[in-house]
């Protein structure tokens, strides 16, 4: 169940060491580290995380500093720093 | 009579303008004048839409009854507020008079005037009694305070929007593609097309997802911004509840909580915190039910509001965990918040005027939040510290009058209007960008005009700074005579060389400057000598010079015979002097041919330059009238067309011919 402390998942990067930063993506149970370029859309990160966790991208919400993150955002647009965390929350629905 | 009603009675002495003036102190934006009772949240209309809200027992999904219409004559927008009507048999309970689904038709925006008048007249005194509360302000620019007694308000919007843009939303706006694309993105929430389309559905598809509820609460917060600022209220998104739940579940402390500094910063200094709760916070499922927690940080109490609290208590554990997480994040004392479960809460189904809604908990959370905010607004007039209790304890099934279908319609309208507003803002932004581009273009045009003016003044002056390398580089041997000619004027005027490339101009300008030369044949000799020295550095045999002068004389005579044929012929006059360089090549025909070709090239280049300058001037003039005015103010920008007389002047002067002939 718990993959906490799992080895870093290095995302294939495009070179340019200084343009990269490490981002931790975590839900309640798992933590996955990604190394992505600052200008890379977070959609790639989201898809990679969902693939790894077996979740549908539509069923989860990625939050940064309490704000929902769009797939078209990138670390630069969110002013993310190295080591920042993206939180993953399950979508919520209610009616009854 | 309930406490809520009593409080309203106390307020009757206050006018609506007093209320508006009071809350304008806390918000710079305009307020609409419509008022409603805090005890009648569901009947409260959307000011931006004037939506028909009918507690329809049949509860078919209502379509919007657009109230923003445009006067075809004045082009001004009108907000048509369809008044409420109440069942005369029950003073406290309001019922719809017209509860037909046809009344909600989307395209039926122009309701029958007769019906409007009738329904207006049916508004009884109970409505006017409830006009002492607050209505949400409109978030559409240009709305102004209006008389609440009118059902139709003429509102002049800013004239910067085109009539097309200001028209009611298009079909793509009201019926977007049912996919996961973002329909509306706010600062802290977003909603997809699919969620937007599901808002008004009453079946299982109408269950509110987090995006829908968060956007609805965000828009609600915008409408009640004055009250929120006054009471230091924070309306959280559902994600905060998830985070708080996780904080308590994982027992985060110290360093772990530093990761949530952003959330903590948002909560600091807030008196009231509204947090929607979902039973799917544990992540095992997407959840099934929405509830609400209202935390009073000053009184140290957390009020749990559940629309199914009478028959379902399992969600209280999740709410308690969220409250614990809040305590941990905000460093609240170990005794923590007093957790109160509000029992006196209407049931989402039993007390719902819409009995066919299969997912009313989302609309209920929105509606109860709106109800509390409105109640706090009324309490603000009395300066009551117990605003929540006064506002909330007045809730009963009749005053609350929950109608999930109407609430869905209200949310749908708010989201659509917000999207519409964003589109209009985008258009305005594009317009401003276009204006900026015009300004930049204007600046460029001004710079070009200034540069052209500088060039023109340079052309009028003798070309002093060009040593004439260009012709020498191109045709070294053959261009030297031209250089020589320029240097003649130099020797006479004591100035530097003329530009060889502008040899024609050199000669053209010479008569103006060297008019004394016309009779000064004696000066020709020193020029000849000077020229001979400058050409090659070696002495030129006298016989060669004689030959050159003879040839030159013949050429000049030929040129004189062609005089007056065309302006281009004036270049021939300069060419007539060229044969004196024959000494270098010995081939006068070749020299003439090359010289003529070069002259024609120069003329063509000159024509191109003139044409481009005239085009530039035309472009400047057609681009903006301001540019035209300023260019006129600077003058001479249109000179390319006025420069042509210049060669004419040179053409009429023939002293160079006589001068050349006098060399004989």
């Amino acid at each position: 169940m718990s993959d906490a402390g799992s080895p870093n998942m290095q995302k294939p990067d495009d070179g340019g060491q200084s343009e990269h930063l490490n981002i931790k993506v975590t839900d309640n149970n798992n933590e996955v580290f990604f190394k992505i370029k600052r200008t890379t859309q977070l959609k790639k990160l989201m898809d990679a995380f969902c693939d790894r966790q077996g979740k549908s991208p539509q069923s989860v919400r990625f939050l940064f500093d309490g704000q929902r993150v769009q797939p078209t955002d990138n670390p630069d647009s969110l002013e993310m720093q190295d080591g920042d965390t993206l939180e993953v929350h399950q979508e919520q629905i209610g009616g009854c | 009579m309930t406490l809520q009603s009593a409080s309203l009675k106390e307020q009757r002495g206050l006018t609506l303008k007093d209320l508006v003036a009071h809350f304008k102190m806390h918000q710079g934006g305009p307020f609409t004048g419509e008022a409603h009772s805090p005890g009648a949240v569901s009947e409260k209309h959307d000011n931006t839409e004037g939506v028909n809200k009918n507690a329809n027992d049949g509860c078919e999904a209502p379509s919007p009854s657009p109230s923003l219409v445009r006067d075809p004559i004045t082009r001004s927008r009108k907000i048509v507020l369809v008044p409420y009507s109440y069942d005369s048999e029950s003073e406290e309970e309001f019922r719809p008079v017209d509860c037909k689904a046809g009344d909600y038709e989307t395209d039926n925006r122009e309701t029958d005037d007769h019906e409007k008048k009738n329904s207006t007249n049916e508004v009884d005194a109970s409505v006017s009694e409830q006009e002492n509360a607050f209505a949400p302000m409109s978030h559409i620019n240009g709305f102004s305070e209006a008389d609440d007694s009118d059902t139709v308000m003429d509102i002049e919007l800013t004239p910067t929007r085109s009539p097309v843009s200001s028209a009611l939303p298009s079909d793509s706006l009201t019926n977007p593609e049912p996919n996961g694309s973002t329909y509306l993105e706010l600062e802290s929430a977003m909603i997809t097309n699919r969620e937007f389309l599901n808002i008004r559905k009453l079946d299982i598809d109408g269950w509110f997802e987090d995006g829908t509820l968060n956007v609805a609460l965000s828009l609600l917060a915008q409408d009640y911004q004055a009250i929120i600022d006054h009471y230091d209220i924070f309306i959280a998104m559902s994600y905060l509840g998830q985070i708080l739940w996780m904080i308590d579940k994982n027992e985060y402390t110290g360093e772990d909580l530093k990761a949530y500094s952003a959330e903590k910063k948002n909560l600091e200094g807030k008196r009231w915190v509204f947090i929607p709760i979902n039973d799917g916070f544990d992540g095992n499922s997407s959840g099934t039910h929405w509830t609400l927690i209202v935390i009073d940080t000053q009184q140290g109490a957390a009020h749990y509001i559940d629309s199914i609290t009478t028959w379902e208590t399992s969600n209280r554990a999740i709410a308690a965990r969220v409250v614990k997480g809040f305590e941990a994040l905000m460093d609240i004392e170990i005794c923590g918040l007093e957790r109160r479960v509000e029992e006196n809460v209407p049931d989402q189904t039993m007390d719902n005027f819409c009995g066919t809604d299969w997912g009313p908990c989302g609309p209920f959370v929105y509606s109860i939040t709106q109800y509390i905010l409105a109640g706090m607004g009324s309490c603000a007039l009395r300066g009551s510290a117990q605003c929540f209790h006064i506002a909330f304890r007045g809730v009963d099934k009749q005053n609350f009058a929950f109608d999930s279908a109407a609430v869905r319609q209200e949310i749908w309208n708010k989201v659509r209007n917000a999207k519409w507003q964003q589109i209009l803002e985008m258009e305005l932004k594009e317009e401003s960008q276009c204006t900026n581009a015009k300004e930049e273009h204007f600046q460029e045009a001004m710079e070009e005009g200034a540069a052209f003016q500088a060039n023109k003044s340079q052309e009028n002056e003798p070309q002093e700074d060009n040593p004439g390398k260009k012709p020498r580089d191109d045709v070294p041997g053959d261009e030297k005579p031209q250089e020589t000619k320029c240097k003649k004027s130099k020797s006479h005027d004591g100035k530097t060389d003329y530009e060889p490339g502008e040899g024609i101009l050199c000669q053209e300008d010479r008569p103006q400057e060297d008019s004394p030369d016309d009779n000064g044949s004696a000066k020709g000799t020193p020029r000849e000598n000077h020229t001979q020295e400058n050409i090659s550095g070696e002495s030129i045999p006298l016989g060669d010079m004689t030959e050159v002068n003879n040839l030159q004389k013949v050429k000049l005579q030929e040129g004189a015979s062609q005089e007056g044929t065309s302006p281009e012929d004036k270049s021939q006059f300069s060419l007539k002097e060229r044969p004196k360089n024959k000494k270098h090549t010995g081939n006068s025909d070749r020299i003439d041919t090359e010289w003529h070709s070069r002259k024609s090239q120069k003329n063509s280049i000159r024509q191109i330059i003139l044409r481009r300058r005239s085009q530039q001037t035309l472009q400047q003039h057609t681009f903006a009238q301001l540019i035209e005015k300023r260019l006129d103010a600077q003058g001479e920008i249109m000179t390319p067309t006025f420069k042509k007389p210049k060669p004419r002047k040179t053409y009429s002067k023939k002293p160079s011919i006589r001068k050349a002939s006098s060399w004989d």
Side-chain angles (χ1 to χ4, degrees), chain B residues 106-120:
Chain B
T106 304
D107 297 331
N108 190 23
R109 61 185 63 166
E110 299 294 340
T111 55
D112 186 40
D113 292 337
H114 182 68
E115 290 181 359
K116 279 185 187 176
K117 289 179 182 178
N118 289 340
S119 56
T120 303

Side-chain angles (χ1 to χ4, degrees), chain B residues 380-619:
Chain B
L381 298 175
R382 296 169 294 178
S384 172
Q386 305 295 325
C387 55
F388 174 79
H389 306 288
I390 293 175
F392 190 73
R393 286 177 181 170
V395 172
D396 60 24
K397 299 174 183 178
Q398 295 174 343
N399 280 344
F400 186 56
F402 177 59
D403 182 356
S404 62
V407 173
R408 287 175 181 275
Q409 183 63 57
E410 178 180 337
I411 295 172
W412 188 90
N413 288 332
K414 281 181 183 293
V415 174
R416 186 197 61 177
N417 287 347
K419 175 71 173 177
W420 184 17
Q421 185 183 10
Q422 283 190 355
I423 292 174
L424 293 177
E425 288 174 352
M426 285 291 294
E427 290 181 0
L428 289 176
K429 190 177 179 181
E430 290 174 359
E431 285 181 8
S432 63
Q433 288 176 349
C434 183
T435 305
N436 293 336
K438 287 180 179 177
E439 287 292 330
E440 291 176 2
H441 201 98
F442 171 75
Q443 292 296 334
E444 292 176 1
M446 293 297 293
E447 292 173 1
E448 290 176 1
F452 175 71
Q453 196 172 8
N455 291 338
K456 180 199 166 233
S457 59
Q458 252 185 346
E459 286 177 2
N460 289 335
E461 295 175 358
Q463 306 297 317
E464 300 176 351
D465 298 330
N466 297 320
K469 294 175 183 176
K470 202 170 182 179
R472 278 196 294 265
D473 294 337
D474 296 336
V475 188
D478 295 336
E479 292 301 321
K480 284 180 180 177
Q482 187 177 2
E483 179 186 359
T484 303
K485 187 185 297 179
C486 293
K487 288 191 175 180
K488 283 181 183 176
S489 66
K490 172 190 174 185
S491 62
H492 177 71
D493 300 336
K495 297 180 179 178
T496 55
D497 300 359
Y498 287 108
E499 183 182 6
E502 299 290 338
I504 297 173
L505 292 178
C506 291
Q507 194 173 2
E508 289 169 358
D509 294 339
R510 191 185 301 161
Q512 299 175 353
E513 303 164 357
D514 302 344
S515 53
D517 289 352
D518 296 345
N519 301 324
S521 60
K523 292 181 180 179
T525 305
R527 277 185 204 157
E528 291 286 341
N529 298 334
H530 183 68
T531 302
Q532 291 166 18
E533 291 173 1
N534 285 340
I535 288 173
S536 60
E538 58 181 325
S539 61
I540 301 172
L542 185 59
D544 290 346
M545 280 302 298
T546 305
E547 181 184 357
V548 168
N549 289 335
N550 290 337
L551 288 172
Q552 193 174 19
K553 184 180 178 181
V554 172
K555 294 285 183 184
L556 289 173
Q557 286 173 351
E558 292 175 358
S561 65
Q562 299 172 355
E563 192 175 76
T565 54
S566 68
E568 286 75 14
D569 290 336
K570 60 185 179 295
S571 63
Q572 300 293 330
F573 292 105
S574 62
L575 292 175
K576 304 315 173 194
E577 300 177 355
R578 308 305 295 175
K580 61 188 176 183
N581 282 334
K582 278 183 177 178
K583 60 186 181 296
H584 296 291
T585 60
N587 188 349
S588 61
D589 294 338
R590 190 178 66 83
I591 290 175
D592 287 343
T593 305
E594 291 180 356
W595 185 249
H596 277 285
S597 63
R598 184 158 187 81
K599 275 300 171 188
S600 62
Q601 286 179 1
K602 288 176 182 175
N603 284 334
S604 62
I605 291 171
R606 187 188 179 98
Q607 291 298 327
I608 291 171
I609 291 172
L610 291 175
R611 198 182 311 126
R612 289 179 61 184
R613 285 173 181 169
S614 61
Q615 287 175 354
Q616 187 182 42
T617 306
L618 284 176
Q619 186 179 7

Side-chain angles (χ1 to χ4, degrees), chain B residues 98-375:
Chain B
D98 299 323
C99 198
K100 299 173 184 177
D103 294 342
Y104 296 107
E105 287 297 327
T106 304
D107 297 331
N108 190 23
R109 61 185 63 166
E110 299 294 340
T111 55
D112 186 40
D113 292 337
H114 182 68
E115 290 181 359
K116 279 185 187 176
K117 289 179 182 178
N118 289 340
S119 56
T120 303
N121 295 331
E122 287 174 5
V123 178
D124 56 24
S126 63
V127 178
S128 60
E129 288 179 359
Q130 298 175 359
E131 289 175 346
N132 291 330
F134 297 92
M137 60 166 289
S138 166
H139 51 273
I140 293 183
N141 296 331
F143 278 66
S144 59
E145 191 175 337
D147 186 359
D148 57 330
S149 62
D150 294 333
T151 54
V152 177
M153 297 181 296
D154 279 330
I155 296 173
E156 292 292 340
L157 296 183
T158 55
T160 54
R161 296 167 184 174
S162 64
V164 175
S165 302
S166 302
L168 281 170
S170 61
D171 187 65
S172 62
L173 191 63
T174 56
N175 295 305
E177 290 292 327
N179 52 32
S181 302
T182 301
Y183 179 80
L184 175 68
E185 183 174 1
L186 302 175
E187 185 178 358
S188 56
M190 57 85 69
I191 186 172
T192 64
N193 290 347
R194 179 175 45 80
E195 292 170 347
F196 171 72
L197 293 173
N198 289 338
I199 289 177
R200 294 187 295 174
K201 292 182 179 177
L202 301 178
D203 55 8
I204 193 68
D205 290 337
W207 285 27
F208 272 18
E209 297 183 25
D210 48 1
T212 306
L213 185 60
N214 290 334
V215 165
L217 293 176
S218 296
L219 296 175
L220 183 66
Q222 289 180 10
D223 292 344
Y224 285 89
Q225 193 62 47
I227 298 172
I228 287 173
D229 292 342
H230 181 75
Y231 281 108
D232 291 329
I233 296 171
F234 181 74
I235 298 180
M237 301 294 100
S238 63
Y239 311 124
L240 180 65
Q242 286 180 279
I243 292 171
L244 297 176
W245 184 91
M246 192 174 61
I247 288 175
D248 182 68
K249 176 183 177 273
N250 297 334
E251 298 179 351
Y252 287 155
T253 56
E255 292 294 324
D256 298 330
L257 292 176
K258 288 184 178 178
Y260 302 101
S261 58
E263 288 83 356
K264 185 176 180 179
K265 187 178 179 181
N266 290 334
L267 295 171
E268 283 177 344
K270 299 299 181 185
R271 163 75 193 274
W272 302 91
V273 180
F274 289 67
I275 306 175
I277 305 294
N278 190 280
D279 57 349
F281 281 172
D282 54 7
N284 295 329
S285 67
S286 294
T288 57
H289 185 55
W290 288 107
T291 57
L292 179 69
I293 287 180
V294 182
I295 297 177
D296 182 358
T297 57
Q298 187 170 328
Q299 297 291 327
H303 305 268
Y304 178 66
I305 302 171
D306 190 347
S307 57
I308 55 173
T309 190
T310 55
W311 53 276
E312 177 61 56
T313 58
S314 60
N315 294 328
R316 297 178 184 179
I318 295 175
R321 178 154 275 181
V322 171
V323 173
K324 288 180 182 176
F326 182 85
E327 295 168 355
L329 181 63
M330 302 306 293
D331 298 325
I332 296 178
E333 295 291 334
I334 189 68
C335 56
L337 301 170
E338 178 189 359
R339 292 190 284 273
R340 300 174 182 169
V341 177
E342 299 293 338
E343 300 287 350
N344 188 19
V345 175
D347 189 273
Q348 66 176 21
T349 303
M350 301 300 293
D351 300 317
N352 188 354
F353 281 109
C354 179
T356 58
D357 193 341
W358 284 75
C361 67
F364 183 88
V365 169
Y366 171 88
S367 186
I368 197 68
T369 304
Q370 190 180 39
Y371 176 87
I372 295 170
L373 291 175

Side-chain angles (χ1 to χ4, degrees), chain A residues 5 7 24 35 39 53 62 75 93-95:
Chain A
K24 182 174 76 173
K35 187 175 184 180
T39 55
Q53 301 298 326
F62 289 82
I93 190 170

Side-chain angles (χ1 to χ4, degrees), chain A residues 3-96:
Chain A
D3 286 341
S6 62
N8 294 357
M9 180 178 176
Q10 299 293 334
K11 193 149 177 65
D13 49 27
D14 306 317
Q17 195 69 19
S18 62
E19 296 181 356
H20 289 70
L21 73 167
N22 295 295
I23 295 177
K24 182 174 76 173
V25 183
T26 178
D27 55 12
N28 286 337
N29 303 314
N30 308 306
E31 286 184 355
V32 181
F33 290 86
F34 292 91
K35 187 175 184 180
I36 65 171
K37 290 178 69 175
R38 292 182 178 276
T39 55
T40 301
Q41 285 192 352
L42 292 177
K43 182 178 188 304
K44 297 175 72 175
L45 182 147
M46 295 175 180
D47 292 341
F49 180 84
C50 292
D51 285 345
R52 181 180 172 87
Q53 301 298 326
K55 296 179 177 178
S56 168
Q58 284 76 34
S59 67
V60 295
R61 310 283 187 254
F62 289 82
L63 305 180
F64 176 65
D65 282 347
Q67 305 294 322
R68 186 169 175 180
V69 174
Q70 298 297 318
T72 54
D73 290 332
N74 60 46
D76 262 353
S77 65
L78 298 175
E79 299 180 353
M80 298 181 78
Q81 305 294 326
D82 188 45
D84 279 344
T85 302
L86 277 179
E87 294 190 2
V88 184
H89 295 278
Q90 181 78 19
E91 71 166 344
Q92 304 300 320
I93 190 170
C96 66

